[in-house]
Amino acid sequence: DAIVYSNLSSAFPGELVRFTSATRDGDTILFSVISDRNPGDLYLFDRKTNKARYLMSSRKIDKKRMAEVMPFDFTSRDGLKIHGFLTIPHGSDGKNMPMIVNPHGGPMGPRDNWDFNAEAQLLASRGYAVLNVNFRGSGGYGKAFEDMAYGQWADGIMNDLIDAVNWTVSNGYADKNRICIYGGSFGGYSALQSPILEPDLFACAIGFVGVYDLQLLYEE
């Protein structure tokens, strides 16, 4: 069924509307609607009639049962503002949760976003909070922020991750005795390096296709 509206943001409250394609005359527009709980719905908008027609969803899920993703920011130990996202399991009070830290790859350029993260949702469905951190080097915060990752793999970036974990503990979100870290690529490196620096902070660490030998990486 077509839905009629005058404003896209009011038609899809709490969700992001992204225009993806259009006809040459601009009269017919394809757009998607996503959120932290919605992996994506596709609509076709007719500018002449001011109506949008639902086409399909990328996945058939119950959005009401999905986990909420909470944006946050904090100040790192050296005064840098760091942003992140905390996925809170559906039905949880958001307090004293077991938590999995999931650092992204890269580290220069990639970033985590407020959108539907299938892996985080899977872990949250098992009762785990999931922490994603846009540490120094992450994209989207300007070139200077991205360049901060150079020469800072083992200290600056790890400090950002560890400070983010401590922020969740000090604010009552995570149980300090039930925290694990897991990641792939550079996230795999982070997963093994973080508990080396703070062995008492992590109950377990899992590296997946991680970058562990920089010399071998550049030679091969």
Side-chain angles (χ1 to χ4, degrees):
D1 295 335
I3 54 175
V4 182
Y5 56 86
S6 58
N7 186 290
L8 282 178
S9 60
S10 63
F12 305 100
E15 298 187 291
L16 296 175
V17 176
R18 293 175 175 171
F19 296 96
T20 60
S21 185
T23 54
R24 290 184 181 275
D25 59 11
D27 286 340
T28 305
I29 301 171
L30 194 68
F31 69 89
S32 63
V33 179
I34 67 166
S35 74
D36 56 342
R37 306 182 192 193
N38 180 7
D41 299 324
L42 205 60
Y43 291 84
L44 197 63
F45 177 57
D46 188 329
R47 291 182 61 198
K48 293 180 179 179
T49 62
N50 200 38
K51 292 181 180 180
R53 178 166 58 90
Y54 167 78
L55 296 178
M56 66 184 72
S57 297
S58 62
R59 302 180 189 183
K60 289 292 185 180
I61 61 169
D62 185 353
K63 301 175 189 176
K64 295 180 180 179
R65 296 177 60 188
M66 296 298 102
E68 173 191 1
V69 179
M70 182 188 78
F72 70 91
D73 63 74
F74 67 96
T75 302
S76 69
R77 67 187 70 183
D78 59 351
L80 190 62
K81 188 174 184 179
I82 302 294
H83 296 265
F85 301 96
L86 184 64
T87 302
I88 300 174
H90 175 69
S92 167
D93 62 3
K95 300 297 181 182
N96 203 37
M97 299 175 289
M99 186 174 75
I100 296 175
V101 187
N102 183 214
H104 65 69
M108 288 77 81
R111 59 164 294 169
D112 289 308
N113 295 287
W114 182 85
D115 55 14
F116 189 88
N117 184 320
E119 190 170 57
Q121 290 288 343
L122 171 66
L123 296 171
S125 73
R126 270 60 180 173
Y128 297 100
V130 181
L131 177 64
N132 296 103
V133 184
N134 282 330
F135 43 75
R136 65 193 68 197
S138 301
Y141 300 95
K143 187 176 185 300
F145 187 86
E146 190 169 323
D147 287 347
M148 288 180 182
Y150 290 101
Q152 292 291 309
W153 283 34
D155 37 36
I157 294 177
M158 295 305 107
N159 290 342
D160 293 343
L161 286 168
I162 291 167
D163 290 351
V165 173
N166 288 328
W167 181 89
T168 64
V169 172
S170 64
N171 283 275
Y173 295 111
D175 179 349
K176 66 178 181 179
N177 296 314
R178 296 187 294 166
I179 299 173
C180 285
I181 184 166
Y182 151 72
S185 190
F186 177 78
Y189 167 87
S190 300
L192 299 192
Q193 180 69 7
S194 295
I196 291 174
L197 299 174
E198 293 286 345
D200 296 330
L201 190 59
F202 301 97
C204 66
I206 302 170
F208 172 64
V209 295
V211 177
Y212 308 124
D213 187 324
L214 293 185
Q215 183 175 345
L216 180 65
L217 171 70
Y218 284 98
E219 286 178 352
E220 300 296 333

